[in-house]
């Protein structure tokens, strides 16, 4: 077991967080991760109403007696969802851990903290992480450019972003984007993080609710099989490379505007990808880390394997390298 300030603050056994992915982060997946000692998260906005979210939280509580949380992603919208009502449903349900993401979480953080909820805020830049710390969040999840979904506009990969954030913050940092195995966990710890968050890797597990065809598509894909869309609109998103995402990128690169691709990027189409198993049915998010994914284990098998790989690296591989480095060279004195 790896114990540190993050695991202690959030009451979990292992410093492994499941991403709060829309359409994917359901009670079954969150409970499976939490039962395996990680931190499972339910996606609030996957649920059509705050009452549906309260029901999903209750379902998760029936599936696990371990800590789990809810992801609340706040994004600009012409017709925004009732964020305050979702927030209140989380508080009224007795959830003690929330992951906020997207826009400035200030109004929500104040309410959550007043209710005794611990807040993990996901962001894509050091400056936003510093701002989140000033709002008294309990930890930040810093998302490198490799990540699925919205990587921000700075294009800074995790190898630089994680230590840059850890250097500036006094609260725990969780590394996100590009993590799938024990090597990634050890690397994140070496870079100054207190744990890792994985989205794409948990999509490709037995308990993930997405269609088996999509899980197998992730296994077959390489790290090059993603597309960056909305770059000309300064709202970059990393998604699976398919006929739809390539069309969106082409239209926008030629000077098109959002209205020209609205139908192509509709969330309802993306949801059908996961339901029907057709990877070309719409836009769906996936990270470059899919190039490291080779199987579809249970969440318990995955977390156990990650911890065992990390232990072997820390106790066997790295000490052996240090021992070899200290050995005298042939002919040396």
């Amino acid at each position: 077991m790896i114990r540190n300030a993050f695991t202690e603050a959030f009451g979990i056994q292992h410093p492994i967080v499941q991403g709060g992915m829309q359409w994917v982060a359901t009670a079954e997946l969150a409970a499976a991760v939490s039962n395996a000692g990680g931190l499972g998260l339910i996606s609030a906005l996957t649920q059509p109403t705050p009452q549906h979210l309260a029901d999903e939280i209750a379902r998760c509580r029936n599936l696990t007696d371990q800590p789990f949380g809810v992801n609340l992603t706040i994004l600009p919208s012409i017709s925004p969802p009732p964020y305050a009502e979702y927030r209140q449903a989380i508080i009224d349900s007795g959830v003690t851990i929330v992951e906020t993401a997207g826009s400035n979480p200030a109004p929500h953080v104040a309410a959550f903290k007043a209710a005794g909820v611990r807040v993990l805020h996901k962001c894509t830049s050091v400056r936003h992480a510093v701002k989140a710390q000033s709002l008294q969040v309990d930890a930040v999840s810093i998302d490198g450019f490799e990540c699925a979904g919205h990587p921000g506009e700075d294009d800074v990969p995790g190898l630089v972003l994680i230590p840059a954030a850890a250097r500036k913050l006094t609260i725990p940092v969780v590394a996100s984007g590009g993590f799938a195995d024990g090597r990634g966990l050890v690397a994140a710890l070496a870079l100054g993080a207190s744990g890792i968050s994985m989205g794409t890797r948990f999509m490709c597990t037995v308990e993930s609710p997405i269609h088996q065809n999509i899980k197998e598509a992730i296994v077959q894909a390489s790290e090059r099989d993603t597309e960056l869309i909305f770059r000309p609109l300064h709202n970059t998103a990393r998604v699976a490379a398919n006929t739809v995402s390539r069309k969106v990128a082409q239209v926008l690169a030629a000077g098109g505007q959002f209205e020209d691709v609205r139908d192509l990027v509709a969330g309802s189409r993306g949801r059908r990808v996961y339901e029907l198993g057709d990877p070309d049915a719409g836009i769906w998010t996936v990270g470059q880390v899919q190039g490291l994914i080779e199987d579809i284990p249970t969440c318990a098998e995955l977390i156990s394997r990650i911890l065992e790989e990390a232990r072997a690296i820390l106790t066997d591989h790295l000490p052996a390298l240090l021992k070899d480095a200290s050995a005298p060279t042939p002919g040396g004195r």
Side-chain angles (χ1 to χ4, degrees):
M1 290 173 55
I2 300 172
R3 309 293 296 174
N4 55 36
F6 176 66
T7 59
E8 294 296 329
F10 286 78
I12 57 177
Q13 296 179 50
H14 311 305
I16 299 173
V17 180
Q18 165 239 316
M21 302 161 283
Q22 191 165 20
W23 316 130
V24 180
T26 59
E28 287 82 3
L29 179 59
V33 173
S34 290
N35 283 332
L39 176 58
L41 296 173
I42 294 170
S43 163
L45 299 185
T46 292
Q47 305 305 318
T49 69
Q51 181 57 53
H52 283 90
L53 173 59
D55 294 342
E56 189 75 356
I57 292 169
R59 285 205 316 119
C60 193
R61 193 163 277 130
N62 286 331
L63 295 171
T64 183
D65 59 359
Q66 298 301 307
F68 67 90
V70 176
N71 168 280
L72 182 62
T73 297
I74 308 107
L75 294 174
S77 173
I78 296 174
S79 300
Y83 288 117
E85 294 178 28
Y86 277 97
R87 181 185 70 215
Q88 195 59 46
I90 293 169
I91 293 171
D92 291 345
S93 295
V95 170
T96 59
I97 298 171
V98 166
E99 179 188 65
T100 54
S103 302
N104 185 355
H108 304 284
V109 171
F112 284 133
K113 296 297 290 184
V117 178
R118 285 158 289 176
V119 178
L120 170 67
H121 181 64
K122 180 182 283 288
C123 48
T124 61
S125 71
V126 175
R127 61 187 181 279
H128 293 150
V130 170
K131 175 63 176 179
Q133 178 173 263
S134 74
L135 298 175
Q136 305 301 309
V137 303
D138 298 277
V140 296
S141 180
I142 195 80
D143 234 347
F145 185 58
E146 308 92 331
C147 72
H150 295 279
E153 303 303 312
D154 295 340
D155 297 0
V156 181
L159 192 62
V160 173
L161 188 60
I162 296 162
R167 183 176 60 185
K168 292 283 187 178
L169 302 174
T170 58
I171 58 177
V173 174
V174 174
S176 304
F179 296 98
D181 53 29
R183 295 171 298 178
L185 175 56
V186 172
L189 297 174
L191 292 171
S194 296
I196 56 174
S197 177
M198 303 189 302
T200 301
R201 176 64 271 200
F202 278 120
M203 286 174 65
C204 215
T205 57
V206 170
E207 295 89 350
S208 168
I210 68 176
H211 198 283
Q212 184 70 14
N213 288 354
I214 304 305
K215 297 178 188 181
E216 292 174 1
I218 293 172
V219 170
Q220 295 301 317
S222 79
E223 65 279 5
R224 299 178 66 244
D225 293 321
T226 67
E227 190 81 40
L228 293 172
I229 61 173
F230 301 152
R231 299 229 85 185
L233 305 181
H234 305 290
N235 187 28
T236 301
R238 186 181 298 283
V239 301
N242 62 13
T243 56
V244 183
S245 63
R246 284 189 286 268
K247 177 66 174 177
V248 170
Q250 289 167 3
V251 170
L252 295 179
Q257 298 302 308
F258 180 75
E259 289 301 321
D260 300 313
V261 298
R262 178 189 290 272
D263 292 341
L264 292 172
V265 302
S268 58
R269 289 187 59 165
R271 187 171 189 172
R272 286 200 297 271
V273 170
Y274 298 139
E275 293 175 345
L276 303 178
D278 179 1
D280 285 310
I283 295 292
W284 54 287
T285 57
V286 70
Q288 290 180 314
V289 73
Q290 65 183 344
L292 301 180
I293 296 173
E294 298 178 336
D295 62 354
I296 308 171
T298 66
C299 291
E301 290 168 344
L302 175 61
I303 289 177
S304 177
R305 184 169 70 199
I306 289 172
L307 294 169
E308 181 58 29
E309 288 173 352
R311 184 209 63 78
I313 292 169
L314 292 169
T315 62
D316 300 332
H317 180 63
L318 293 180
L321 289 178
L322 292 173
K323 180 179 179 181
D324 290 344
S326 64
T329 59
R333 293 179 181 274

